[in-house]
Amino acid sequence: HQIQDVNIHENVVTVIAENKVWKYDIKDFKPILKSEKEKYQGGFQFVCYQSDGIITYSHSSTHLLISNRELDTLINVHAFVNGATYDDKSNVHFVATNSGVSKIDDKYRVTDLTVDSPILKHTAIYDIIYREPWIYANNAQYIFRIHNKTREIQILDDFYFSSIPRFHISKKELALALDTLVQLPIKDAFDLRQNNSLMLDFFKVNQKYIDIKKDIFDYTQNSFEWRYYVNNSHLPDQCRILYRLMPIDTTWHIITQGESINYNQLQPRSYTLQVKAMNANGSWTNEIYHTFYVRPPWYRTTWFYVVMMLNIGLVFYLLYKWRIRQIKHQFAVQAEISNLQRSALQAQMNPHFIFNCLNAIQNYIMQNEKLEAMEYLNRFAKLIRQNLHASAENLIRLDDEISMIENYISLERMRFQNSFDYTIEVAEDIDPTEIRIAPLLIQPFVENAIIHGVASLSYQGLIEIKFAKQDNVLQIKISDNGKGIKPKIDTMHKSVGVSITQKRLAFINQTYSDHYHINTKSDENGTVITVAVNL
């Protein structure tokens, strides 16, 4: 058979040939347990590790077969297995694969130990040896070691290897197979006291060289280029530079020495470039920060937004002031119209008084009652004076209004031959000289009570006028003992004075926010008119 691999441990020789396993006694080379080779039929490549209690094989290309006295376990490391070693204290296997170094813990979980190294990740590893606490291995260019606990990586960079470097580890020395056998103390081979610095080669903005100290740029200066290098390195071409631009990048980008860092068409804002490098020996350089700011165009600045907001606010303020002036003008016009209409209505009311009073005087003269005619005329003249005075005012005192009402009722009572009586009551908590109301407010309702309430009764009529105050509201109640207001009469013969008064109060309420309220109750026992005045 064509032999693929041979491994000797104590008195046992393990042979892999044609993807099968045989074991022989080293003394007489007789097979040990013929069934042993039957147990391991399949795709074996070579023996990776062998001790008293455990042996591992490269099996089916990407698997590590772990065989001990109790059981066999086949682990898929997802890369071609080139070799393996074992830490019997922690029951951990370390595997050299075509994609780096993997660790298999005691629960058979696989971890890639070189995935974070920009130099070693995804490279083929050929030999692997474990000397606590370091795992020693090689690839096509380097010999390196990985700390079992911290996963720190250290690379031997004192030599240049033109082919795969072969090595052996003793307790204190590293042996290298070069043109001659070279032996180095391990502590000197991986001495990392040299800390190479990361330096800036050049900085460009829009393809023009710029001093790195400049940190504020116009929005048109938005294409940036940096080039860094690691100085004084034994293997400068093997160094790796890592960078990221915050806040754009969340992960690090990796480039080789000599490559540039480029960012184009950056949007206006603040940025920070972070750069660090890994030397060939695995040590990290100092980390460099470059913070700069790309200014926005003038129409995207804070000041522009502030000015725009102020201008917009000014426009709204001017519109607001214009609207307020317009509303005030409308209210002024409306108030003026209300005053004119009130004056016109009062002018309509005065002829109504005069007509009734002259008609009464005419009746007295026709009946040759000269004394009554003279008394009536005197009262009428006094009422005219009071009315003329009141019509010139917007508000009059309550006692003046009561005086006009008494004058008016006296005249009407004479005209109707004392066919009704009347009373006027003012509550004790009311001072008539301190309260002001609209002139000629009560007279139309009293007139209505006389004409439509008590004038045509077959029995003695009675009109009661009461002034009361409750919660800063003046209550004026005019009641009669007539037969009530019939719907037909209310609709067709309603007092002109009452209608005019209601219109006047409607205009007043528009100006003074519901200052007056009128309520009417009527039945067969009489009519009650209540006028509420907000004081």
Side-chain angles (χ1 to χ4, degrees):
H1 300 292
Q2 183 179 358
I3 296 176
Q4 298 167 236
D5 193 22
V6 176
N7 186 280
I8 300 174
H9 179 69
E10 295 182 350
N11 295 324
V12 178
V13 178
T14 303
V15 179
I16 296 180
E18 296 185 355
N19 296 325
K20 298 179 183 179
V21 177
W22 285 268
K23 288 189 177 183
Y24 299 93
D25 192 319
I26 196 172
K27 295 178 181 179
D28 53 13
F29 215 73
K30 291 182 179 180
I32 300 173
L33 296 177
K34 294 183 179 180
S35 61
E36 182 76 6
K37 70 175 182 179
E38 301 297 332
K39 179 179 181 182
Y40 296 110
Q41 300 305 309
F44 290 89
Q45 280 77 46
F46 41 82
V47 180
C48 295
Y49 176 84
Q50 187 171 201
S51 65
D52 292 339
I54 193 168
I55 183 171
T56 61
Y57 302 92
S58 172
H59 188 278
S60 302
S61 299
T62 62
H63 291 73
L64 184 72
L65 176 64
I66 304 172
S67 178
N68 57 32
R69 296 184 181 91
E70 298 176 357
L71 54 84
D72 296 337
T73 304
L74 194 63
I75 306 296
N76 186 0
V77 295
H78 303 288
F80 189 88
V81 175
N82 293 319
T85 186
Y86 179 64
D87 176 14
D88 55 0
K89 290 183 179 180
S90 58
N91 192 25
V92 174
H93 296 267
F94 302 101
V95 185
T97 75
N98 272 3
S99 185
V101 177
S102 294
K103 175 182 177 180
I104 302 175
D105 63 17
D106 56 350
K107 294 182 172 55
Y108 301 113
R109 293 173 298 196
V110 180
T111 305
D112 190 339
L113 298 181
T114 56
V115 69
D116 294 327
S117 170
I119 299 175
L120 301 176
K121 70 176 182 178
H122 306 317
T123 62
I125 310 300
Y126 299 102
D127 302 313
I128 189 165
I129 299 172
Y130 181 68
R131 295 290 184 268
E132 187 180 7
W134 295 93
I135 307 114
Y136 294 84
N138 64 349
N139 64 5
Q141 295 176 303
Y142 311 115
I143 294 173
F144 61 92
R145 67 180 183 177
I146 306 173
H147 196 280
N148 181 22
K149 303 297 183 182
T150 65
R151 293 175 61 172
E152 176 189 356
I153 297 176
Q154 297 177 356
I155 300 175
L156 176 66
D157 63 353
D158 288 338
F159 298 91
Y160 175 77
F161 302 102
S162 59
S163 60
I164 299 174
R166 299 297 178 178
F167 70 99
H168 180 73
I169 300 293
S170 63
K171 289 185 178 180
K172 295 184 179 181
E173 290 186 329
L174 168 66
L176 300 176
L178 301 175
D179 294 339
T180 60
L181 181 64
V182 178
Q183 291 181 306
L184 297 172
I186 292 178
K187 65 181 183 64
D188 295 334
F190 296 95
D191 184 8
L192 298 181
R193 286 177 296 177
Q194 179 184 3
N195 182 20
N196 298 324
S197 299
L198 182 63
M199 307 294 292
L200 177 68
D201 190 5
F202 65 77
F203 173 48
K204 291 182 179 181
V205 178
N206 289 3
Q207 299 182 349
K208 294 182 179 180
Y209 290 98
I210 299 291
D211 186 351
I212 193 67
K213 294 181 180 179
K214 184 176 180 180
D215 55 4
I216 299 177
F217 302 93
D218 190 71
Y219 72 97
T220 58
Q221 298 174 297
N222 56 6
S223 294
F224 297 83
E225 181 182 359
W226 299 262
R227 190 166 73 190
Y228 288 88
Y229 67 94
V230 181
N231 66 337
N232 300 325
S233 175
H234 291 283
L235 299 172
D237 294 339
Q238 307 307 319
C239 296
R240 297 292 182 268
I241 296 174
L242 287 77
Y243 70 91
R244 63 181 177 183
L245 186 64
M246 302 298 290
I248 294 177
D249 298 324
T250 57
T251 58
W252 292 89
H253 303 283
I254 302 172
I255 57 176
T256 60
Q257 188 149 259
E259 291 187 81
S260 296
I261 301 169
N262 291 279
Y263 285 92
N264 298 316
Q265 305 299 320
L266 290 180
Q267 294 298 313
R269 67 176 306 165
S270 181
Y271 297 92
T272 298
L273 178 71
Q274 298 174 248
V275 187
K276 61 182 179 179
M278 174 178 275
N279 295 300
N281 65 6
S283 64
W284 290 97
T285 66
N286 55 304
E287 189 166 323
I288 293 177
Y289 298 87
H290 180 204
T291 299
F292 60 97
Y293 177 68
V294 179
R295 285 191 301 235
W298 63 268
Y299 52 84
R300 290 177 57 185
T301 60
T302 302
W303 283 110
F304 176 76
Y305 291 138
V306 170
V307 172
M308 284 297 297
M309 292 301 295
L310 290 176
N311 287 336
I312 292 173
L314 180 61
V315 169
F316 276 107
Y317 175 75
L318 293 176
L319 289 174
Y320 168 77
K321 294 291 289 183
W322 174 80
R323 181 58 180 162
I324 291 298
R325 286 197 301 268
Q326 188 181 49
I327 292 173
K328 287 182 177 179
H329 177 70
Q330 290 175 349
F331 273 109
V333 171
Q334 187 65 40
E336 184 66 21
I337 292 173
S338 299
N339 288 331
L340 292 174
Q341 291 185 357
R342 176 183 58 79
S343 298
L345 291 173
Q346 288 181 345
Q348 292 178 13
M349 187 180 301
N350 292 334
H352 188 72
F353 273 115
I354 295 170
F355 175 80
N356 287 336
C357 292
L358 291 178
N359 187 48
I361 294 172
Q362 183 182 7
N363 289 335
Y364 280 122
I365 293 173
M366 290 177 64
Q367 295 175 11
N368 200 24
E369 297 177 354
K370 297 178 181 179
L371 293 177
E372 286 79 3
M374 289 298 296
E375 182 182 356
Y376 197 95
L377 185 59
N378 288 334
R379 290 181 181 272
F380 172 68
K382 181 180 179 181
L383 184 61
I384 288 295
R385 287 194 301 272
Q386 290 176 324
N387 184 264
L388 290 175
H389 174 73
S391 63
E393 304 290 337
N394 288 327
L395 296 173
I396 64 170
R397 296 189 322 192
L398 180 60
D399 59 342
D400 290 335
E401 179 74 3
I402 294 174
S403 176
M404 283 192 293
I405 292 300
E406 286 183 313
N407 241 343
Y408 171 74
I409 296 177
S410 297
L411 290 173
E412 293 288 37
R413 190 165 179 268
M414 289 177 64
R415 186 164 70 94
F416 289 103
Q417 285 107 27
N418 300 323
S419 62
F420 66 90
D421 297 320
Y422 73 94
T423 61
I424 298 176
E425 296 181 12
V426 180
E428 294 181 356
D429 59 343
I430 294 176
D431 184 356
T433 63
E434 295 294 328
I435 297 176
R436 292 181 173 273
I437 62 173
L440 305 176
L441 175 64
I442 306 172
Q443 185 271 339
F445 300 104
V446 175
E447 176 189 4
N448 207 44
I450 295 172
I451 302 300
H452 300 289
V454 299
S456 58
L457 291 178
S458 58
Y459 51 87
Q460 186 69 14
L462 177 62
I463 295 176
E464 297 179 343
I465 303 173
K466 296 181 180 180
F467 296 86
K469 185 179 178 183
Q470 183 178 5
D471 296 331
N472 209 34
V473 177
L474 177 65
Q475 299 280 350
I476 305 172
K477 186 180 293 185
I478 304 105
S479 60
D480 63 72
N481 63 344
K483 297 181 180 180
I485 301 173
K486 296 181 181 180
K488 182 177 180 181
I489 295 175
D490 186 53
T491 303
M492 299 181 63
H493 302 286
K494 188 175 181 180
S495 169
V496 175
V498 172
S499 176
I500 292 173
T501 299
Q502 289 175 335
K503 290 180 181 180
R504 284 177 58 216
L505 296 184
F507 282 121
I508 294 173
N509 285 338
Q510 289 180 9
T511 306
Y512 297 99
S513 302
D514 296 334
H515 196 68
Y516 296 92
H517 297 276
I518 302 172
N519 184 42
T520 302
K521 291 183 180 180
S522 183
D523 56 25
E524 65 276 5
N525 295 320
T527 300
V528 178
I529 305 293
T530 302
V531 180
V533 183
N534 292 324
L535 299 177

